[in-house]
Amino acid sequence: MANTTQEGAETATEAAGHAAEAAGHAAESVGMPQLDIATFPNQIFWLVVALILIYLVLSRVALPRISGIIADRQGKITNDIAAAEELKLKAEEAEKAYNQALVDARAEANKIVAEARAEIQKDLDKATAKADAEIAAKAAESAKRIEEVRAGAAKNVAEVARDTAEALVAAFGGSADAKAVAAAVTARLKG
Amino acid sequence: MATEEQSEGLAFHPMDQFIVKPLFGGDHVAWYTPTNATLWMAVTVLAVIALFVLGTRGRAIVPSRLQSIAEMAYGFIHKMVEDVAGKDALKFFPYIFTVFCFIVFSNFLGLLPKAFTPTSHIAVTAILAMAVFLTVTIVGFVKNGAGFLGLFWVSSAPLALRPVLALIEVISYFVRPVSHSIRLAGNMMAGHAVIKVFAAFAPLVLFSGIGLAVTPLSILAITAMYGLEILVAFIQAYVFTILTCVYLKDALHPHH
């Protein structure tokens, strides 16, 4: 009994000695400094200070600024896309207008060509008609002259026949009544 | 002690990098004493300001490099909150973004040589996790009243199983802040400690012939671990943040 108490006392003093030694060599202690309760209040205090500082800086300055930057960029991108869309529409419209103008110009050209052709045709027709009229007039004149010539010829023939008949009658020794000869020749010519 | 004597001058103090000590001398760490933890938290705050305030001061439509990093971080967390916790969780976005920024900057700054990593301390991560836990619980009760308890009553399970499931759900709900904080602190501490252990082997070539083989290997191992730690630094910040969103979703929509 006494022995054991003595032993117990010895171990106790030994432990105390170790503890003292550990305290003395706190800087080189082999235990875990993480479990040194004496430093806890210090660490906790400074941790809370650090967290509050970071929280204030982030929530007051940094985070609103970053979210603002991101929103601005998003807005700019959206605007730019909208502007590009608009420009594209404008370009399409311009192309349509250009094509329309091209179609119009072509139609106009066709119209002008048709008009020119019609005018030329008209002139041509007029000229043709004039030429025809002239030709017709000339033909009519020629026909008249032929008619005259023919009539002249017939008349001459009748005169020649009468003269010849009078001469024949005179040659046969008769004195022929000029009127009777003429009537006889005319009747004969008619027959 | 025995290890130190055997390796003739090699010093193994992988945990010394986590010691919190006053910046301006003295031994006593009171709650207000500026310590190395204070310094690196201050550096974290300054880095956050540099990136998110100075980096975005151009407000450019076509962003500069810093501004596009700030915008990417903003978009990343904003989308995470919206996708995981829903649109009505967006009013908690500044709070979640604060937590994410603090953790991610602490983790990365802690990877600088000689740096101190606040997030490797359970005191820090426990406060972060408890803040999330309390926020989520309070929001849950304020939004849903007693209906928030429906989170623990699995109505799709058979009636006989429901009390058992409710017990399990309650336990898992209260374990959340523990796993939430220890996951982060444990990951950060383990990585840094392992790098330090490898680093302790690096000068072996100065003391012994076997160092010819050990030193290049340990340098290679430090490099590999460092690469892994860069990954872990981001992933742990991401995990902490997305779990916060998941818990927040439970608070806003306990029934589904």
Side-chain angles (χ1 to χ4, degrees), chain B residues 143-154:
Chain B
K143 278 245 165 194
N144 310 287
F148 184 54
L149 294 173
L151 185 64
F152 306 117
W153 197 249
V154 187

Side-chain angles (χ1 to χ4, degrees), chain B residues 23 32 38-39 59 74 91 98 122 133 172 191 195 201 204-205 224 236-237 239:
Chain B
L23 271 186
Y32 53 83
T38 314
L39 171 68
R59 298 162 197 261
Y74 178 97
K91 58 176 176 294
T98 301
I122 192 72
F133 179 77
S172 80
I195 289 181
F201 279 110
L204 193 65
V205 72
Q236 287 307 317
V239 165

Side-chain angles (χ1 to χ4, degrees), chain A residues 2-154:
Chain A
N3 215 355
T4 45
T5 40
Q6 203 185 345
E7 254 178 62
E10 254 176 309
T11 40
T13 44
E14 213 176 305
H18 275 304
E21 200 183 330
H25 298 268
E28 303 132 33
S29 78
V30 212
M32 282 177 63
Q34 277 88 347
L35 301 180
D36 183 2
I37 303 231
T39 66
F40 279 19
N42 181 276
Q43 293 194 61
I44 292 168
F45 169 67
W46 289 112
L47 169 68
V48 170
V49 170
L51 286 180
I52 288 174
L53 280 177
I54 295 178
Y55 182 82
L56 288 179
V57 167
L58 287 180
S59 64
R60 294 287 152 86
V61 184
L63 297 182
R65 188 187 286 174
I66 296 176
S67 70
I69 292 169
I70 292 173
D72 279 358
R73 182 176 305 139
Q74 206 56 47
K76 176 137 180 59
I77 290 171
T78 314
N79 282 348
D80 284 0
I81 288 175
E85 201 69 32
E86 206 173 301
L87 286 178
K88 197 182 153 199
L89 277 181
K90 266 187 194 160
E92 269 170 15
E93 239 163 63
E95 199 195 342
K96 223 196 280 178
Y98 168 78
N99 282 338
Q100 187 58 45
L102 210 60
V103 168
D104 284 354
R106 201 164 282 154
E108 185 77 9
N110 282 340
K111 207 169 107 194
I112 289 170
V113 167
E115 264 171 24
R117 190 172 287 156
E119 209 161 298
I120 290 168
Q121 191 63 46
K122 216 162 81 190
D123 285 354
L124 201 63
D125 284 352
K126 212 190 268 172
T128 312
K130 198 174 157 197
D132 280 352
E134 266 171 28
I135 291 167
K138 279 214 172 107
E141 206 173 307
S142 303
K144 205 167 125 199
R145 196 170 293 153
I146 290 169
E147 202 55 43
E148 275 172 13
V149 169
R150 187 176 287 156

